[in-house]
Amino acid sequence: MQDWRRDMSTMRAEIGSRLARLSTDLAGARQDRPPRYNRRMYRAVIIVLVLVLAALQYRLWVADGGWAEVHRLSEMKQELAEANERNQVRNDALQAEVDDLKSGESATEGRARSDMGMIRRDEEFFLTIAPPGPTQPKSQDRQQGNAGSDDGSDAQ
C-alpha cells in the first residue's frame, strides 16, 4: 500500500512540474505574440468617429435646418397665425358691414348721414357750435397750446 501512495505522490510531483513548465512556456509565448489589433489604426478610427460626431452636432445645432432654424420658423409661424386671426376678425367685421349695406336702405342712409353729412328733403338741419373760450377742459388747452411750439414752451 505504501508503494501505491509513493507512486501517487511521485506522479503528482511530476504532473506539477510539467504544469509549471508548460505555464511558463505559455507565458513566454504570449509575450512574443503581436497584439490582436493595430493601436495606431484603433486611434485613427476613434479620432475619425469623434470628428464625425462633432460635424453632426454642428449640423444639428448651428447649420441650416438645425434647431435654431426650427425655433425661428416656429416663432414666425406663431406670429403669422396671430396676424391671420386679427385679419380674420377684421374681415368678418367688414363682411358684416357689406351684408348690412346690401340688405337695406337704412344702413345706406345711416352711412350717408354720418360720413357725408347728407339730410333728407323734408328735414331741417340745425348746426350747434360751442362758444369759444374757457369751456374746453384744461387738458385740451394744454394739448392745443403745446401743439404749435417746437421747443416745448407755451406759446400764448
Side-chain angles (χ1 to χ4, degrees):
M1 195 88 46
Q2 294 277 347
D3 293 333
W4 179 78
R5 285 187 184 167
R6 200 174 343 151
D7 289 339
M8 285 298 278
S9 64
T10 312
M11 285 177 63
R12 282 185 190 160
E14 188 177 326
I15 290 174
S17 67
R18 284 185 183 177
L19 282 176
R21 267 188 274 133
L22 185 61
S23 64
T24 57
D25 289 343
L26 287 177
R30 282 188 190 151
Q31 290 175 356
D32 295 340
R33 281 188 6 195
R36 295 174 70 184
Y37 58 89
N38 187 352
R39 289 182 187 241
R40 287 184 184 172
M41 182 62 75
Y42 183 72
R43 286 181 188 158
V45 167
I46 293 295
I47 289 171
V48 167
L49 288 177
V50 166
L51 290 176
V52 167
L53 180 66
L56 290 175
Q57 288 295 317
Y58 172 79
R59 186 167 180 219
L60 176 68
W61 294 104
V62 179
D64 291 341
W67 284 111
E69 186 175 357
V70 169
H71 181 67
R72 183 183 59 80
L73 289 175
S74 66
E75 286 180 353
M76 186 185 296
K77 178 184 171 187
Q78 185 177 4
E79 290 172 6
L80 289 174
E82 291 170 359
N84 284 344
E85 187 175 326
R86 286 191 306 269
N87 289 336
Q88 185 63 40
V89 168
R90 182 176 169 261
N91 288 345
D92 291 343
L94 289 174
Q95 186 62 45
E97 187 176 344
V98 167
D99 292 342
D100 190 33
L101 288 173
K102 285 183 179 179
S103 67
E105 291 183 21
S106 62
T108 307
E109 182 181 342
R111 185 82 174 211
R113 286 175 180 269
S114 66
D115 291 347
M116 296 181 215
M118 299 181 86
I119 58 171
R120 288 189 193 160
R121 290 182 191 258
D122 58 345
E123 286 183 334
E124 293 182 21
F125 179 69
F126 295 97
L127 179 63
T128 57
I129 300 174
T135 59
Q136 295 177 345
K138 290 185 178 184
S139 63
Q140 288 181 355
D141 286 341
R142 288 183 194 146
Q143 290 176 355
Q144 289 176 355
N146 290 337
S149 65
D150 292 338
D151 60 355
S153 63
D154 290 337
Q156 294 187 8

